[in-house]
Each structure stands twice: as structure tokens, then as C-alpha cells.
Amino acid sequence: MNASFPQPNLATVVLDFDSTFTSVEALDVLAELLSAADPARHADVAQIKTLTDQAMSGEISFAEALNRRVQLLKPTRDDIAALIEVLKTKVSASVIRNKAVFAENPGKFRIISGGFHDFIDAVVADYGIEPEYVLANRLIWNDDGVAVGVDQANPLSQDGGKVVALSGLGVAGAVAMVGDGWTDFEVYKGGAAERFYAFTENVVRSKVVAAVNGDTSLIAASFDEVLHAEGYQGRYSFPRSKLKVLLLENIHPDAVRAFREEGYDVTTVKGALDEDDLIQALQGVHILGLRSKTNLTAKAVDAADKLMAVAAFCIGTNQIDLKACSQKGIAVFNAPYSNTRSVVEMVIGLIVMLTRNIPDKSIAMHKGKWDKSATGAHEVRGKTLGIIGYGAIGSQLSILAEAFGMRVIYFDLAEKLTLGNAKRYRSLDALLAEADVISLHVDGRADNKNLFGAAQFNRMKDGALFINLSRGHVVDIDALSTALQSGKIYGAAIDVFPQEPRTNDDPFESSLMGLKNLILTPHIGGSTEEAQEAIAEFASERLLGFLNRGDTTFSVNMPHVQLSEVSGRHRFLHLHRNVPGVMAAINAIMAKYDLNVLAQHLKTNETLGYVIVDVDKGYPKEALEELKAVNGTLKFRSLQ
């Protein structure tokens, strides 16, 4: 199988080893290993690292730094073997992602280093790079198996050695040098390479970055960027480090880490953004993550120049204009189940506290008042819980409530599978008249605005309890206030409000403040560490699946297609308006360029069509341009 389109004029890419092919400086790691085995050598570690930094930034000569480091270290062959095992775990993330490109292009990727064949050969061999494609120094060993020096006949042991060694190699065609150090830039400066990429994935050396004279295309934050710039068809057609991810509202660090480990450029914002600020922040952003307080309006969607996908790191998506996103081919995801348990446990706790009038007794205690009385305090056992909205949260709540000894009834507009001994009521009014506790678990659709008002509170049993952990706009707050003050409602717990502060620094105001047997909480129903970790994992996995594979499983607005990883093939992802003729046009282009189709999927919904095509070889750029130009195209991208 020919996995890449023939491109004979591609440059030979030469990579530095330390802090480029690997994420570390090998001799620094060796010093740390020796120090761990012999704490008396701890001072050597700092001295070795200082010499490394001085050489890489051009402050001292490379030859001086190299010889002084080897003389300090004096490693044994066993030490080198241990170093190799560590270095194999420290290969740069973007090099690992593109491992296949080395095997697909033998001889086109080479290693040059002031380090040593003694450990470099074994590390790069795992990536199909043979020793003949490695230019490096060699250690001199004494009879006791201790390295005591450097082969001075090797030009790489001397200042300017990389230029001499690479120039004498006789590489046909252009050479692109990739590295983080000053000696790597000297390869280009000395004429041994046509281009130099300042590699910044692992370390940023200001002098080296400045050497490219502001040409950002020559600053490579990942190996993906080098492959893209040099025309190689590696695993990805577009470097991940060029894709910008914006995460708002204190989204859990696990999500940030997940995107960064995959090579994406991530920016985080502590609080929510209003429409104007969001429009400004979205410029150049490909992926947006938000929670419940930021509204992605049609105006913001229209202004987003590069947005590909959005994830609500919460249950609902009513804060996102789904129609506007669909019209622009922007995929939307959420995390509908991840915080279910946290919300349910909080409801159970609130029921117990309200039934026992604990909020008021706690406030009194803080004021120095001892009020030990059973008056108005009851067990929850035997009480009837009325659940409005029997989705993921409502149904799990019914199970836990039954375990507490409660009788459960529920109301839902849709047919649902009843769990345990719960009973469905076809009439909301009938449920209200019978329940001792009402708990709302409805979604945030506009139709649910003021679902609960004065009429509904009046139909509830006298002295019932009311709980809302769903959406703020579904309850008429003033009507609830009146019901509490009149005694119609014995107690309530409200976690969500029609208007909520955008950040923790903004004030909160409500007509409910100060009322008796009323628990007010700042939208924390799903705010447990467990829930936020689960949400971060679920939502980021959905986005990464879409970015890396084209997978749309669990999207709320896209046709659902579950896809495997792209391996040994190329994948086209074509999102279009659901109009006639698109599939025929795509297949005609496949035929025109003689592309053998390994797999093809088409899924549609009322407004969108999604075509995924896997082919078994590369393709010219003209094929991509024609696929992008198919009538009805909203988004097109390729994965390799």
C-alpha cells in the first residue's frame, strides 16, 4: 500500500536530538541519574545544566561545554544503558504523533547532534532511523568501561561541527534544519541548510527565536508544523499547534491538559464573557469550550472566523444558538450525564435539611441561639417525592429517593422507562396535589420559561417543599417568594436563577434573600470535583474525537458517525447542507484523481449531510480544492 503521494522534491529534514527529537537534554538527564545513584555528585547536576544552557544559547563554545561535561560525568556503559531507557520515554510528543512519517520516507529524516551515537542510535532506531542517518559524536572508553573523553577527530566535537559534518554528507536537494539551539541555527547560517526552524515545543531560547527575524512561519511549536511547512503528508494535514482552543468559565484543568497533550494551543479564561468580549476572543479560535453563563449567540457565531466545534462543559446547550452553529457547519457537543450523581446527591441532602428545618436552626446557632425542638421536623421516609422531568437526573434521583424510603411519582412529556417503583403521572396538576416534595429537572428550552409560577405553587399541597436545580428561568422567583412568605410552601432550595453573576466577583441579588427555611446556593448542583473531572474528560474526548478522527458521536446538531483512528490511510471530512448532488460530486472528484476509496460514510439529518471518505494513498492539492468547492459545502478538512 502506498501511504503517501509521490513527492520527490521534498527537502531532507535534519533534526537536532536534544530538546527537539527528545524533550530533554540527554547529558542533563545522565547527570540526574548519576546524582540519584550517588548524592555526592549532586553539585555536578547544576554545573552540567549550566554548561548545557550556555552552549545552547551561544554564550560559550560548544566544544568547551561538551568536553567539560563528559569529564564531569565519566559514565559507565551501564549508565548509558540506563540513560537510553529514560530517553525512550522522553521523545517529543509531536514526534511520537508523527512516527509513521519516518517509515514512509526512509532517508528523508536525519539526526544531527553534539551528543553521542552511544545513546542516540538506540533511541531513534525505534522510529526507523538507521545509524547511517545519524551524525553524532562518539565517546572514548577506557579499559574499565568508563567514558573519559570525546573523539576529537569527529568534526561534531568542535565548534561549528554541525556545519562541517552536514556539508560533507552530500545530501541531494534542499535541507531543512530543525532545532532549539544556537548550534542548530549555525547550520543554516553556515550554508549547510536552506531553511532553519526554531523548535519551541520543549524549550524556548530567545536568542535562537530572534534569529529567524520575526518570521513566525519558521518558529515551530511542534514537529507537525515542520511537516506541514515542508509539504510532508504526515499524520495530520494541519499542525495541531496551529489550532487554537479557547476554554471559558474555569473549565477543569484535566480538559486543558488533554488538549495540550495532543498538541493544541490552549487559552483559558476564568469567567464568562459577554457577547462583545466573546466576539473579540473568538477571532482565530477553532475550538470553544464554555459552561452555562456564556451565551454563544448567532451574532457571535457569525463573527467567529475559524470556529469548527463547540462543547458545553455542562448538561444543557440552551446557551448556544444551535441553529446558527448548524448553518455554519460548527459541531456542538455537551456532557449530558457526567454530573448526574452530584446533582442527585445534592437534592437528597437538601430534602433532608429542609424537612428538618436545618437551615434556620444553623443560622440561629451562628447567632448564639439554642433552639432544640422537634416541632416541624420530620423524617423523609414515607413522604412522596414528585419529580418533574424524568431524564438522566430525574430517573437516578427516583432510585436514591426510594432507597431513603420515599414514594416517587414523576411527570414527563415524553415516554420514559420507569425505574424501581416510581409511578408516572399523566397530569402535572395531579402530581402537584399529591407530592410532599417537588424537584424540578427539566431542560433549558425557551418553552419552559416560568413553567412554575403562582398557579403551580397554589396547586401544591400546603406545607410542601420545592427544589430547583435545573434552570433558573423555569421558575417565577417572585411567585416563589410569595408562596414562601405566605406559608403555602414550607421550605425551598434554589440553586439556579434567571439572572446569575458572570463571575465570583460580581454581586448576587434576589427577592428570595432572607426568607425562612430557604437554601440558596450559587449554581453548584454539579460542582463537585468528581463531576467536573468527569465533564472535562467526557467533553474533551468528544471534541478530540471530532478533531482527530472526525467522530460526531453525541453531537447535539450533527449527524452521528462513530469513526476509528486514521491509520495507514487518508481521511476526507466533508460537511455540507443537505441538498441533492453532493455525494455524486464528491465521487466524481475521487474518480477524476484516481483515488481508491477504502471506506465511505454518509449520514444526514434534516439540515446537514456528513461524508467521510478514507483513501489508500495521498492526493494532489487540486483534489482538496475541488472538494472544498462542491456546491453546498460548509466545512472540509483532511486527516492523514
Side-chain angles (χ1 to χ4, degrees):
M1 179 178 69
N2 180 16
S4 54
F5 198 81
Q7 300 181 71
N9 296 321
L10 289 173
T12 296
V13 177
V14 180
L15 294 94
D16 177 41
F17 183 75
D18 295 314
S19 295
T20 300
F21 191 91
T22 65
S23 61
V24 294
E25 294 287 331
L27 295 185
D28 291 356
V29 174
L30 179 57
E32 291 171 354
L33 291 173
L34 294 174
S35 175
D38 181 5
R41 302 189 65 178
H42 181 69
D44 293 345
V45 176
Q47 192 171 354
I48 291 291
K49 289 184 175 180
T50 298
L51 290 168
T52 298
D53 288 339
Q54 289 175 335
M56 290 300 98
S57 61
E59 295 176 41
I60 62 174
S61 75
F62 174 77
E64 177 187 354
L66 181 66
N67 282 283
R68 287 173 60 185
R69 284 181 290 174
V70 172
Q71 291 165 10
L72 277 170
L73 291 167
K74 293 185 173 60
T76 66
R77 294 190 186 277
D78 287 343
D79 295 330
I80 295 299
L83 173 63
I84 289 170
E85 294 309 307
V86 174
L87 292 178
K88 286 184 176 183
T89 70
K90 300 295 183 180
V91 176
S92 295
S94 63
V95 172
I96 294 173
R97 286 199 299 271
N98 291 283
K99 185 175 183 178
V101 78
F102 297 100
E104 293 172 0
N105 299 274
K108 299 297 285 187
F109 293 90
R110 307 195 178 199
I111 301 295
I112 191 168
S113 175
F116 299 92
H117 276 283
D118 305 74
F119 52 80
I120 292 175
D121 289 359
V123 176
V124 302
D126 290 346
Y127 290 76
I129 301 176
E130 301 294 336
E132 63 183 296
Y133 297 127
V134 177
L135 293 173
N137 279 301
R138 294 189 183 276
L139 291 167
I140 295 176
W141 300 87
N142 65 16
D143 293 340
D144 296 324
V146 176
V148 294
V150 182
D151 179 6
Q152 298 296 318
N154 189 325
L156 285 165
S157 67
Q158 307 299 320
D159 293 342
K162 286 186 177 180
V163 177
V164 175
L166 192 54
S167 297
L169 195 60
V171 176
V175 172
M177 179 68 209
V178 185
D180 68 294
W182 186 252
T183 59
D184 304 313
F185 174 69
E186 286 181 333
V187 170
Y188 165 73
K189 188 179 179 182
E194 281 68 28
R195 287 176 294 284
F196 168 70
Y197 293 94
F199 194 76
T200 61
E201 179 173 330
N202 305 308
V203 62
V204 178
R205 305 190 193 279
S206 56
K207 182 178 178 181
V208 178
V209 171
V212 302
N213 295 319
D215 188 347
T216 56
S217 68
L218 296 176
I219 301 174
S222 71
F223 189 43
D224 305 312
E225 294 186 24
V226 175
L227 293 175
H228 182 68
E230 291 298 324
Y232 279 89
Q233 294 181 335
R235 186 177 174 193
Y236 311 106
S237 61
F238 192 78
R240 293 182 177 186
S241 50
K242 294 293 187 182
L243 294 176
K244 297 185 180 297
V245 179
L246 174 63
L247 301 178
L248 308 178
E249 303 183 63
N250 287 329
I251 286 173
H252 196 276
D254 281 1
V256 179
R257 184 162 46 251
F259 284 108
R260 286 183 174 157
E261 286 178 352
E262 291 282 338
Y264 294 100
D265 179 2
V266 183
T267 299
T268 61
V269 174
K270 181 179 179 180
L273 299 180
D274 61 24
E275 186 177 62
D276 291 339
D277 290 338
L278 181 61
I279 288 172
Q280 183 176 355
L282 280 175
Q283 300 311 300
V285 168
H286 301 84
I287 305 298
L288 173 65
L290 46 75
R291 294 175 71 184
S292 58
K293 294 181 182 178
T294 299
N295 289 316
L296 182 61
T297 62
K299 182 179 178 182
V301 170
D302 185 61
D305 56 343
K306 294 183 178 179
L307 195 60
M308 297 165 53
V310 180
F313 282 70
C314 53
I315 294 177
T317 58
N318 58 294
Q319 73 276 40
I320 299 171
D321 193 315
L322 297 179
K323 181 178 179 181
C325 287
S326 296
Q327 288 173 343
K328 286 195 68 173
I330 298 169
V332 180
F333 299 87
N334 66 338
Y337 312 113
S338 302
N339 67 0
T340 299
R341 180 70 186 198
S342 295
V343 175
V344 169
E345 288 186 2
M346 182 166 168
V347 173
I348 293 293
L350 291 170
I351 292 173
V352 173
M353 287 192 289
L354 292 172
T355 304
R356 299 289 294 273
N357 198 19
I358 289 175
D360 291 348
K361 291 186 183 297
S362 177
I363 292 171
M365 289 287 286
H366 280 283
K367 294 179 179 179
K369 183 179 180 180
W370 183 273
D371 180 19
K372 178 177 169 59
S373 171
T375 302
H378 302 278
E379 294 182 349
V380 299
R381 181 178 54 177
K383 301 298 186 293
T384 298
L385 170 63
I387 300 172
I388 301 175
Y390 201 71
I393 293 175
S395 58
Q396 188 169 149
L397 173 60
S398 74
I399 297 297
L400 265 66
E402 282 194 9
F404 260 61
M406 299 188 79
R407 170 177 173 257
V408 177
I409 58 178
Y410 73 91
F411 174 79
D412 198 298
L413 295 176
E415 292 288 340
K416 297 292 177 68
L417 175 64
T418 301
L419 302 180
N421 296 311
K423 181 178 180 181
R424 180 184 182 188
Y425 275 39
R426 303 284 176 172
S427 165
L428 176 59
D429 288 347
L431 179 142
L432 296 177
E434 198 169 321
D436 299 301
V437 182
I438 295 293
S439 188
L440 298 187
H441 300 285
V442 298
D443 62 33
R445 71 185 71 180
D447 292 346
N448 283 334
K449 183 176 182 181
N450 289 337
L451 173 70
F452 242 80
Q456 285 71 38
F457 288 117
N458 287 334
R459 293 186 182 107
M460 289 174 61
K461 291 175 64 174
D462 291 343
L465 302 177
F466 179 77
I467 297 173
N468 182 24
L469 273 70
S470 60
R471 300 291 188 274
H473 70 268
V474 304
V475 177
D476 183 333
I477 293 298
D478 291 336
L480 173 59
S481 176
T482 299
L484 283 164
Q485 293 180 68
S486 70
K488 174 68 177 180
I489 303 301
Y490 178 67
I494 305 298
D495 185 53
V496 289
F497 303 87
Q499 289 83 38
E500 297 181 356
R502 287 197 300 137
T503 72
N504 290 342
D505 297 325
D506 295 329
F508 168 74
E509 295 180 359
S510 173
S511 61
L512 296 176
M513 295 167 65
L515 299 181
K516 290 184 177 180
N517 203 23
L518 173 62
I519 300 174
L520 302 179
T521 50
H523 204 147
I524 57 171
S527 295
T528 62
E529 292 185 9
E530 292 86 351
Q532 293 308 306
E533 288 176 7
I535 289 171
E537 179 182 5
F538 187 89
S540 58
E541 281 183 356
R542 302 286 74 74
L543 286 172
L544 289 169
F546 177 70
L547 289 171
N548 299 345
R549 303 190 303 275
D551 195 305
T552 54
T553 307
F554 292 108
S555 172
V556 299
N557 69 327
M558 295 267 289
H560 286 189
V561 182
Q562 186 173 5
L563 299 168
S564 60
E565 293 287 346
V566 184
S567 179
R569 58 180 64 187
H570 304 294
R571 177 170 293 168
F572 301 149
L573 304 170
H574 190 280
L575 182 66
H576 57 273
R577 291 189 295 274
N578 190 1
V579 295
V582 174
M583 197 73 238
I586 290 173
N587 286 335
I589 295 169
M590 298 290 108
K592 176 179 177 180
Y593 289 97
D594 194 28
L595 300 181
N596 185 38
V597 176
L598 293 174
Q600 188 176 73
H601 307 271
L602 168 65
K603 284 291 185 72
T604 62
N605 59 25
E606 291 182 357
T607 59
L608 299 173
Y610 189 37
V611 177
I612 303 96
V613 183
D614 287 357
V615 296
D616 72 349
K617 64 180 180 180
Y619 41 82
K621 291 182 178 179
E622 291 80 4
L624 300 184
E625 295 305 317
E626 290 193 28
L627 288 166
K628 293 176 185 177
V630 169
N631 180 48
T633 301
L634 294 172
K635 300 282 187 186
F636 174 83
R637 60 192 176 108
S638 60
L639 301 176
Q640 304 168 357

